[in-house]
């Protein structure tokens, strides 16, 4: 088995969120700064500024943030240094760098595409809810097959014990 050459580039994707409290001019400067830092050691294949969005929960007191995502090729040793730089910058409230698989493909969605995906997801959820309703489960319940089998076995045991209890009652009544 041969070791990988250290100069071979791998494919990565980065997402980082800048603090929402920054002014637009500061945000633009920060985005340019990090893009320049990244381009010093990496070949940027695709990039996208997702703009300012509301966060799901507060991060360091921030309720909004500006999202930036990029797909690039770089040497793994340089990634660690860049990751550390992002971690130390207080204006970057979250970041994630992930190695992408060999057959990774960057897909850009339009508003229409996203609406279509949500419609498809809603139909999948509705189908699961209907399936669960037929099995006697309540709405919005998602269970694994193993759990369903355990529940079915418990119901059968209770039914069997009910039959046995009825027979015992009949025997006792005859005495």
């Amino acid at each position: 088995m041969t070791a990988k050459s250290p100069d071979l580039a791998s494919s990565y994707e980065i997402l980082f969120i800048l603090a929402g409290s920054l002014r637009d001019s500061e945000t633009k400067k920060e985005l340019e700064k990090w893009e320049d830092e990244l381009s010093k050691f990496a070949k940027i294949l695709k990039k996208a500024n997702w703009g300012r969005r509301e966060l799901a929960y507060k991060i360091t007191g921030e309720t909004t943030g500006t999202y930036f995502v990029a797909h690039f090729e770089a040497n793994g040793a340089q990634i660690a240094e860049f990751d550390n730089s992002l971690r130390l910058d207080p204006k970057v409230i979250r970041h994630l760098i992930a190695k992408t698989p060999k057959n990774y493909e960057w897909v850009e969605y339009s508003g229409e595409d996203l609406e279509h995906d949500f419609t498809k997801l809603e139909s999948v959820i509705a189908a699961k809810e209907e399936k669960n309703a037929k099995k006697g489960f309540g709405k919005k319940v998602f269970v694994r097959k193993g759990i369903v089998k355990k529940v079915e076995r418990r119901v059968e045991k209770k039914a069997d014990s009910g039959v046995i209890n009825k027979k015992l009652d009949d025997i006792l009544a005859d005495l």
Side-chain angles (χ1 to χ4, degrees), residues 128 132 135 137 141-151:
K128 283 196 177 229
N132 286 336
K135 289 183 179 181
F137 295 108
V141 176
F142 297 92
V143 292
R144 294 190 334 242
K145 287 181 183 177
I147 293 172
V148 171
K149 287 180 183 176
K150 285 180 184 177
V151 170

Side-chain angles (χ1 to χ4, degrees), residues 10-12 38 42-48 70-74 100 104 106 108:
S10 296
S11 175
Y12 294 89
L38 184 61
K43 177 184 174 187
I44 299 175
L45 304 173
K46 299 273 186 170
K47 63 181 179 175
H71 179 223
F72 63 96
E73 289 181 344
T100 58
Y104 178 79
W106 176 283
E108 292 185 34

